[in-house]
Amino acid sequence: MVSGAAIPVGIDVQVESIDGISEVNMDFTITLYLRHYWKDERLAFPSRTNQSRTFDSRLVKKIWVPDVFFVHSKRSFIHDTTMENIMLRVYPDGNILYSVRVTVTALCSMDFSSFPLDTQNCSLELESYAYNENDLMLYWKNGNDSLRTDEIVLSQFFIEHFHASSGLAFYSSTGWYNRLFINFILRRHIFFFMLQTYFPTMLMVVLSWVSFWIDRRAVPARVSLGITTVLTMSTIITGVSSAMPQVSYVKAVDIYLWTSFLFVFLSVIEYAAVNYCTTLEEMRKMKRGKIPSTSNASQAMAFDGCFHDNDMELTPFSRMAPALTSDPLTTPTLTPDLRPTEGTRLRRQRSVRENVDLFVSNSYMIDSYSRLAFPLSYLLFNIIYWCFYS
Amino acid sequence: MPCYARILFIVLCLILLGECRKHRSRRKRWSAPAEGHKPGTPLSKKVADGTKSKKLKTSHLLRIDEHDFTMRPAFAGPAVPVGVDVQVESLDSISEVDMDFTMTLYLRHYWKDERLAFLSTTNKSMTFDGRLVKKIWVPDVFFVHSKRSFIHDTTTENIMLRVFPDGHVLYSLRVTVTAACNMDFSRFPLDSQTCTLELESYAYTDEDLMLYWKSGDESLRTDDRISLSQFLIQKFHTSSRLAFYSSTGWYNRLYINFTLRRHIFFFLLQTYFPATLMVMLSWVSFWIDRRAVPARVSLGITTVLTMSTIITGVNASMPRVSYIKAVDIYLWVSFVFVFLSVLEYAAVNYLTTVRDGKDRKLREKAREQSQNLPCTCGMSHGRTMMLDGTYSEADANSLAGYTRGSMAADDASEKPERIVVHLSLDNEPTETKKKKGFRIIQNTHAIDTSSRMIFPGAYILFNLIYWCVYC
């Protein structure tokens, strides 16, 4: 090396493949052909034909080659099957082409706040280890065309853009170094997550709405429907979180899953409200004496969930039956047997406010409104979510 | 003291003399094995050690130090042709998640290097192991698109070099390669994958080194015992082509292609069969009385949960591809069937409730019209009686564990009355099973009846279409 001006070393990269991108480790693995071009006059040789001479890796140990390394790489190696994948081509005037095949695992800071509708920006950085810019000048041989790619296919990502850039890096102990950057932008394919996460979640929320259409007297049915959809949502949430790094901010998929969980949860709470109001209504009517002797049938329905036809004015289609002859007579005889079982024992005072009275005496309205309110609000949430993130 | 010095001096001279003689003899080219000992030598005489024959070092034998082996044979001349021969020892694994395969093979190169020719009367070749490889020139073949690879080195490097007297060289090594294979999962698990392993010289273009299959398609041999647990290996064949690199030129590339067909049995047992069973289980709901609300709802919702678990289980071991796979289609259509059975029961339940409300309205009207009617509690008790009569014999706890204490008190006041839905209303408490059965059938909603035909029929049709398309 001439102790004088910096030696210019041109770099050319052909990316063979991107082997893997790991979210959990926040890194990527890339295999590339790295080519260096420089001139060393000590290697010039006389030649009539002006043809270059090609050598393999054994000559490399005997001559000077640039010591390029990958900044922020975790692991890297030069392939060595069957021989070290190194090529040296020497031209008669002393120009040298030095090519190696390398696999590098390098760090990439990923931002998951829009996962899985996210775009990641990763870069691979090349720099000389020993020689700063006074000794070795690293540059892209053909500008942006220095970076070529084979046909790269990734299962989960779409590679939007590959481009090359260069800069200077300062180390306080050692000075300024030339640094070359290989930048690429990856956009994630949403389809897998649609099928695996969003679609099951939507189906579970829709399934929880089925509960509003089932008779409110079917207590076990509605409760088990609600609680099983909550359980399935919980399983889906756990499944998504297992393949993700444990970041400290909320991701887009988290927002969707937790809002859907909230909807499913609210459908269970809604039924608890309906059931409570139904019971209050029953008690009130019993106290007013408008309940015929068959109230025990309705209570039985409340507990075993099966249809027992009766005259209970619990549906919107029945009117308050006028106080018929038999009812006041039979009621006192049966009232002792109609001691409400647990859960319906009325320990409270009478309700005070007017609208609570309205709800309680017409608890079927909660269901009717829910049949519209829940689907509409979920649809609204979906519209807002997809517009915001797409 | 001087005595000792003299003796020492003499011993040193003798040693030096011995070394000189040895050194001189090493320079000579050795061509015949040294004799062990003269025949008839008495035992007391020292017998020359046969293992310490006066062979020359290999470097002298092959005149390695006289040539510069960093340059290829016929350097600056025509391309050196290198024949390649492969014997595949095993296919170690095929990974869908990483989209690669691992293969162990014996890779043999054949070329001629005149610098290694030696005189021989017997025309027999000489065999060397890995230590000579570092000193001579060998082709630098590498595996394109390989992720990891290594030459086995237990107990020593698995390399063989055989040099023939005319300079032909056979260079064999045992390699394990993990190479990328683009897999297409759109027909998974009824798919076939074609993978290739590509060999190329790293440094030398086709003007310097010509890589070719030594015996055409027969250059590729496979052990008979190659078998994979999940795949059937259909075909191994070779091909060759030129590859162009814009910076460095044209290179010869050799391909080893093989086709793998997946065994379907594991997925039939693990995925298709459970999914089909779950769908059939959801049809059971149509045969259960529509008044058993908790039973039908929990049956429907539990089959939905199980289908969801099966779907999650399949996707755990698959790469996250952006298109739909054949197994996804099957599982999602089955999921939709199960989901629809839940919706069907919601519809039945809702319509039943609506109809019962209308019935009650009619009853009240009838009651208002005729004053002589006794309280309707009897009628309702009658119907209740029917339901309870049906179930109480079977299992008192089948509905919710609550039995009705006041059942017996209501016998007396029953009175038949015409109801829209129920065509036969019996006065007597239910006694015979036949009558009970008749009543159950009469109490079925029309949706249930048609669902019992439609759901199985549609699912069977879907299965016919699916298996015809993919098989």
Side-chain angles (χ1 to χ4, degrees):
Chain A
M1 218 159 101
V2 181
S3 55
I7 177 170
V9 175
I11 299 279
D12 187 320
V13 166
Q14 180 165 339
V15 178
E16 193 187 48
S17 66
I18 297 184
D19 298 329
I21 299 180
S22 166
E23 282 89 19
V24 178
N25 299 324
M26 291 238 230
D27 62 29
F28 65 96
T29 305
I30 191 171
T31 301
L32 50 99
Y33 298 96
L34 179 62
R35 301 180 188 111
H36 311 68
Y37 301 80
W38 76 96
K39 183 164 180 174
D40 192 344
E41 274 149 5
R42 300 169 290 184
L43 292 169
F45 58 94
S47 163
R48 278 175 279 116
T49 55
N50 209 26
Q51 268 200 340
S52 64
R53 301 279 170 90
T54 306
F55 303 93
D56 58 22
S57 56
R58 271 171 287 207
L59 187 59
V60 168
K61 297 178 186 61
K62 300 181 186 176
I63 68 171
W64 178 87
V65 291
D67 59 343
V68 170
F69 82 108
F70 300 95
V71 196
H72 300 123
S73 68
K74 296 182 178 182
R75 283 175 301 281
S76 55
F77 59 93
I78 298 178
H79 290 258
D80 62 357
T81 309
T82 56
M83 301 280 296
E84 283 213 310
N85 293 179
I86 293 176
M87 173 186 89
L88 210 59
R89 193 176 285 175
V90 185
Y91 291 85
D93 58 354
N95 274 311
I96 301 179
L97 160 58
Y98 169 54
S99 166
V100 275
R101 183 166 163 257
V102 188
T103 290
V104 188
T105 301
L107 187 70
C108 175
S109 293
M110 300 188 185
D111 173 29
F112 294 114
S113 50
S114 303
F115 179 89
L117 301 114
D118 59 341
T119 298
Q120 300 300 342
N121 212 337
C122 293
S123 73
L124 187 61
E125 302 164 32
L126 291 89
E127 196 178 294
S128 163
Y129 196 82
Y131 302 103
N132 60 21
E133 57 156 357
N134 299 323
D135 292 320
L136 194 147
M137 223 171 63
L138 222 52
Y139 67 100
W140 286 112
K141 185 139 181 66
N142 304 320
N144 209 16
D145 293 328
S146 317
L147 189 57
R148 268 180 298 265
T149 62
D150 278 353
E151 207 187 295
I152 299 180
V153 171
L154 288 168
S155 59
Q156 206 190 130
F157 290 90
F158 171 68
I159 301 175
E160 270 185 6
H161 196 41
F162 254 106
H163 75 277
S165 60
S166 68
L168 281 167
F170 180 68
Y171 294 85
S172 50
S173 329
T174 40
W176 289 91
Y177 288 80
N178 280 112
R179 188 179 287 187
L180 301 179
F181 299 85
I182 299 171
N183 309 296
F184 54 99
I185 301 176
L186 302 163
R187 193 156 47 87
R188 201 180 299 267
H189 285 308
I190 183 70
F191 185 79
F192 175 81
F193 294 93
M194 287 296 275
L195 211 57
Q196 187 72 354
T197 309
Y198 288 98
F199 191 48
T201 306
M202 281 185 221
L203 282 183
M204 283 302 119
V205 176
V206 169
L207 207 57
S208 71
W209 301 337
V210 164
S211 159
F212 306 137
W213 298 82
I214 293 176
D215 198 309
R216 66 199 161 106
R217 291 169 293 176
V219 183
R222 287 189 69 164
V223 169
S224 65
L225 180 58
I227 207 67
T228 310
T229 45
V230 168
L231 175 64
T232 315
M233 278 303 303
S234 176
T235 311
I236 293 174
I237 289 173
T238 315
V240 170
S241 307
S242 62
M244 290 299 300
Q246 293 163 351
V247 289
S248 64
Y249 47 84
V250 71
K251 304 185 283 285
V253 69
D254 284 342
I255 293 177
Y256 195 88
L257 288 174
W258 284 104
T259 311
S260 305
F261 189 88
L262 195 69
F263 271 85
V264 168
F265 189 73
L266 284 176
S267 77
V268 178
I269 303 288
E270 182 266 358
Y271 183 63
V274 166
N275 190 290
Y276 179 66
C277 294
T278 306
T279 318
L280 276 186
E281 195 184 326
E282 263 181 61
M283 291 303 113
R284 202 172 293 157
K285 282 167 188 162
M286 236 165 54
K287 289 212 166 161
R288 286 182 208 148
K290 281 170 187 158
I291 297 175
S293 58
T294 57
S295 57
N296 55 353
S298 71
Q299 281 173 33
M301 163 64 162
F303 296 116
D304 63 24
C306 292
F307 281 107
H308 297 269
D309 299 297
N310 49 45
D311 287 330
M312 281 304 300
E313 300 122 19
L314 294 181
T315 68
F317 303 100
S318 64
R319 268 167 268 113
M320 296 281 279
L324 287 176
T325 52
S326 55
D327 296 342
L329 291 173
T330 52
T331 313
T333 56
L334 289 171
T335 354
D337 296 333
L338 294 174
R339 198 64 49 207
T341 50
E342 68 176 63
T344 61
R345 216 175 294 265
L346 193 64
R347 294 179 194 275
R348 297 167 199 79
Q349 316 270 335
R350 278 180 184 256
S351 314
V352 183
R353 286 188 299 245
E354 283 298 310
N355 40 3
V356 175
D357 272 350
L358 188 71
F359 260 121
V360 166
S361 59
N362 297 288
S363 60
Y364 65 90
M365 275 167 53
I366 303 180
D367 263 348
S368 306
Y369 289 142
S370 302
R371 288 172 194 171
L372 278 177
F374 274 66
L376 281 180
S377 50
Y378 194 65
L379 195 64
L380 186 69
F381 161 70
N382 265 288
I383 291 172
I384 295 173
Y385 182 89
W386 293 108
C387 287
F388 181 70
Y389 280 108
S390 292
Chain B
M1 277 309 162
C3 203
Y4 269 131
R6 238 179 275 150
I7 292 170
L8 250 148
F9 183 69
I10 291 168
V11 168
L12 265 165
C13 285
L14 281 168
I15 290 170
L16 270 167
L17 218 63
E19 283 294 310
C20 283
R21 210 174 291 139
K22 252 198 277 174
H23 191 65
R24 223 181 295 135
S25 63
R26 234 180 267 147
R27 281 176 182 260
K28 289 203 202 113
R29 281 194 54 199
W30 172 88
S31 59
E35 284 292 312
H37 56 277
K38 292 192 212 138
T41 323
L43 277 165
S44 54
K45 274 207 188 156
K46 196 174 169 194
V47 177
D49 191 348
T51 59
K52 292 205 182 88
S53 53
K54 291 179 189 166
K55 287 184 182 166
L56 294 167
K57 276 207 249 181
T58 316
S59 48
H60 292 269
L61 173 66
L62 295 175
R63 294 182 297 157
I64 282 174
D65 290 343
E66 294 174 23
H67 300 276
D68 180 9
F69 282 99
T70 55
M71 300 197 289
R72 66 170 179 89
F75 192 73
V80 53
V82 175
V84 172
D85 188 319
V86 165
Q87 180 166 340
V88 177
E89 191 187 22
S90 67
L91 261 174
D92 299 329
S93 70
I94 304 193
S95 166
E96 281 86 22
V97 179
D98 299 324
M99 292 239 236
D100 62 30
F101 66 95
T102 305
M103 183 191 264
T104 301
L105 51 101
Y106 298 98
L107 180 61
R108 302 180 188 111
H109 312 69
Y110 303 78
W111 74 95
K112 181 167 178 173
D113 191 345
E114 273 153 2
R115 301 169 290 186
L116 293 170
F118 59 93
L119 285 174
S120 163
T121 47
T122 56
N123 210 28
K124 271 192 2 176
S125 63
M126 286 198 287
T127 305
F128 302 95
D129 60 16
R131 281 166 285 205
L132 186 59
V133 169
K134 298 177 187 61
K135 300 183 186 175
I136 67 169
W137 179 88
V138 290
D140 59 342
V141 170
F142 81 107
F143 299 97
V144 195
H145 300 120
S146 70
K147 294 185 178 182
R148 284 174 301 281
S149 53
F150 60 94
I151 299 176
H152 289 258
D153 61 359
T154 310
T155 56
T156 53
E157 283 211 309
N158 295 177
I159 294 178
M160 173 189 87
L161 207 60
R162 193 174 285 175
V163 183
F164 292 84
D166 57 354
H168 274 106
V169 185
L170 159 59
Y171 170 51
S172 163
L173 27 90
R174 182 166 164 257
V175 187
T176 292
V177 187
T178 301
C181 175
N182 268 338
M183 301 189 185
D184 175 28
F185 294 113
S186 50
R187 296 176 67 102
F188 179 89
L190 302 115
D191 57 341
S192 277
Q193 302 297 343
T194 304
C195 292
T196 61
L197 187 60
E198 301 163 33
L199 290 89
E200 195 178 296
S201 162
Y202 194 78
Y204 301 101
T205 60
D206 68 339
E207 289 160 15
D208 288 318
L209 194 147
M210 225 171 60
L211 220 53
Y212 66 99
W213 286 111
K214 183 136 180 72
S215 333
D217 212 21
E218 270 113 70
S219 317
L220 184 60
R221 272 181 297 267
T222 60
D223 261 357
D224 288 330
R225 279 167 300 148
I226 293 184
S227 66
L228 289 164
S229 58
Q230 208 189 120
F231 292 89
L232 171 72
I233 303 172
Q234 277 185 318
K235 204 156 73 103
F236 262 103
H237 76 277
T238 62
S239 56
S240 74
R241 236 181 291 166
L242 283 167
F244 180 68
Y245 294 84
S246 49
S247 320
T248 41
W250 288 91
Y251 288 82
N252 281 112
R253 189 178 288 186
L254 302 179
Y255 297 83
I256 299 173
N257 311 295
F258 55 98
T259 312
L260 303 162
R261 194 153 54 86
R262 200 181 298 269
H263 288 306
I264 182 71
F265 185 76
F266 173 78
F267 295 92
L268 275 178
L269 211 58
Q270 189 77 355
T271 309
Y272 288 95
F273 191 50
T276 312
L277 282 184
M278 282 302 118
V279 175
M280 291 186 189
L281 207 59
S282 71
W283 301 337
V284 166
S285 160
F286 306 137
W287 297 85
I288 295 176
D289 193 299
R290 68 195 166 97
R291 290 169 293 175
V293 187
R296 288 189 68 166
V297 168
S298 48
L299 180 61
I301 200 68
T302 310
T303 45
V304 167
L305 176 61
T306 314
M307 278 304 303
S308 172
T309 311
I310 292 175
I311 289 172
T312 315
V314 167
N315 278 317
S317 60
M318 290 297 300
R320 298 178 175 181
V321 288
S322 64
Y323 46 84
I324 198 161
K325 304 186 284 285
V327 70
D328 282 342
I329 292 178
Y330 195 88
L331 288 176
W332 282 103
V333 171
S334 305
F335 191 91
V336 165
F337 269 85
V338 168
F339 189 74
L340 284 176
S341 75
V342 177
L343 291 184
E344 183 265 358
Y345 182 64
V348 167
N349 187 294
Y350 179 69
L351 292 173
T352 305
T353 315
V354 165
R355 197 191 321 160
D356 285 349
K358 284 186 186 150
D359 293 347
R360 200 169 298 114
K361 263 180 160 173
L362 288 166
R363 256 186 283 133
E364 281 176 13
K365 273 191 193 153
R367 211 192 305 154
E368 281 165 23
Q369 284 163 12
S370 124
Q371 292 296 319
N372 289 334
L373 271 174
C375 79
T376 54
C377 45
M379 201 300 302
S380 58
H381 278 293
R383 209 177 306 153
T384 306
M385 178 62 175
M386 264 190 336
L387 178 62
D388 291 342
T390 307
Y391 287 93
S392 61
E393 278 187 39
D395 183 10
N397 292 326
S398 65
L399 298 176
Y402 296 93
T403 53
R404 306 257 345 276
S406 53
M407 240 168 27
D410 302 330
D411 285 346
S413 46
E414 288 177 15
K415 173 147 186 179
E417 195 171 67
R418 295 223 44 92
I419 304 294
V420 175
V421 174
H422 302 281
L423 302 176
S424 71
L425 197 62
D426 209 319
N427 270 345
E428 300 164 284
T430 53
E431 272 155 11
T432 58
K433 268 209 186 300
K434 201 172 102 186
K435 284 187 182 172
K436 274 187 279 181
F438 185 51
R439 268 186 223 108
I440 289 172
I441 290 169
Q442 290 294 344
N443 201 20
T444 316
H445 201 279
I447 298 182
D448 268 345
T449 320
S450 49
S451 299
R452 289 173 193 170
M453 300 297 141
I454 292 176
F455 274 68
Y459 195 67
I460 289 173
L461 185 68
F462 160 70
N463 267 285
L464 282 174
I465 296 173
Y466 182 89
W467 293 108
C468 286
V469 167
Y470 282 108
C471 279

